Amino acid sequence: MRKILRAGFLCILCILCTLLYNHNLPAASYTVQKGETLYQIAKSQSTSVEALTKANPTINPQRLHPGDVLRLPSSPTPTPTSAPTPSTPAKTSPPPITQTKPTTPAEWVRIKKGDSLAKIARENNLSIADLQRWNRLSGDSLRSGALLRLRPPPSSTPTQTNTPSSPLKPHPTPPPSPPKPSSRELIFIEPARAQIDAPKDRLRDWEYIVVHHSGTSGGNAKIFDYFHRQTRGMENGMAYHFVIGNGSDSGDGQIEVGSRWFQQKQGGHLASEALNEIAIGICLVGDFSTHRLGPRQTASLIELVQYLRKLQPDSKLKFRLHREINTKPTECPGKLFPSSAIHEILD
Ligand SMILES: [Zn+2]
């Protein structure tokens, strides 16, 4: 029973697709919609969870209710690409050195029912082709509730905006060059190899490798770490051990290593404490309910799973999709995830 209750809190990233309505420009207040989290609101209002919390000291971020009215911070703060950088509306505090330049609030728009690419393009003076490119859309079908980028994503180099408080080590090198199919080199592992190898002499008795999707169009380890700490109260930080980027907020196929891997801590990615103890969590950035997994993320995932198995040769690590192992029904990692093709390679 407890597991079922807990399950509602888990894999929140998989349910970022709740029906929300966009408030594109900052207003003085914001009415919480059904299913909305503080993180989503911060994103849609181009502010930060911290700023919202400061502006609303009486709210409990874990218990937002539809109809709650939030005071919005007076000035917009950096966009989701720099969400984890603590930002405050206070005029006296100097801007963090690593802060990216603030952009207009309309970097993201939340898709409303009845929206079309053409409509959003027209309203924002943009071309449909740009919107498709920035959001990796092939057609023009939009899912209401999802976020749409109105600006080009940051370049596919990793975002080096680590703050001193960040538990994540900065990635040492830029993302790897495009994979050569015939090459047997560890294209995606190599840049992160030292970090992946770091705990190899003190590995837990892992039994599973479980793959998730973030359910978001962007994100990286730092953003997820911030989100899991701030809105899910996870003191061990990011629930996953690894994140594989999609070119939005980290490189396409880039492997980021979370602090739980360095410390060989249990995951927080499954709706079962027992399973979290023995399951390595890998999160693929993206929403594979609406998008197809790209070739670089696919290759990176395969490389990472095979490499982890080599690190722990006696363990026969079993590969599972989140939905195949979770105690609560979930679609994660999305209905378009190429389940059988990946299983064929990794089973
Ligand atoms: Zn999941």
Side-chain angles (χ1 to χ4, degrees), residues 11 14 211-213 240 269 322 330 332:
C11 202
C14 305
V211 67
H212 302 259
H213 72 156
Y240 315 109
H269 51 102
H322 181 189
T330 172
C332 183

Side-chain angles (χ1 to χ4, degrees), residues 220-340:
N220 60 27
K222 202 175 158 208
I223 290 174
F224 300 149
D225 186 76
Y226 181 83
F227 173 64
H228 290 171
R229 283 178 195 275
Q230 297 298 315
T231 70
R232 290 168 64 177
M234 291 182 146
E235 57 181 20
N236 289 326
M238 183 172 74
Y240 315 109
H241 298 91
F242 300 97
V243 172
I244 297 179
N246 67 350
S248 58
D249 297 306
S250 59
D252 189 1
Q254 182 191 341
I255 297 169
E256 291 184 286
V257 184
S259 58
R260 292 194 196 233
W261 180 254
F262 292 121
Q263 297 164 21
Q264 288 294 292
K265 285 218 163 100
Q266 76 278 14
H269 51 102
L270 296 168
S272 151
E273 268 171 46
L275 284 174
N276 277 325
E277 292 287 331
I278 54 172
I280 298 169
I282 300 175
C283 177
L284 291 158
V285 179
D287 182 348
F288 307 116
S289 297
T290 54
H291 293 73
R292 295 195 183 278
L293 186 64
R296 290 180 62 91
Q297 279 187 299
T298 307
S300 180
L301 174 67
I302 291 166
E303 219 181 89
L304 179 56
V305 171
Q306 291 174 338
Y307 190 78
L308 291 173
R309 282 175 169 160
K310 275 191 208 140
L311 273 190
Q312 216 170 338
D314 305 330
S315 69
K316 290 249 175 11
L317 280 168
K318 295 180 276 286
F319 174 78
R320 296 284 184 271
L321 311 189
H322 181 189
R323 62 169 172 259
E324 294 166 343
I325 196 172
N326 209 39
T327 48
K328 181 187 174 256
T330 172
E331 200 181 71
C332 183
K335 59 177 186 285
L336 298 180
F337 185 87
S339 164
S340 47

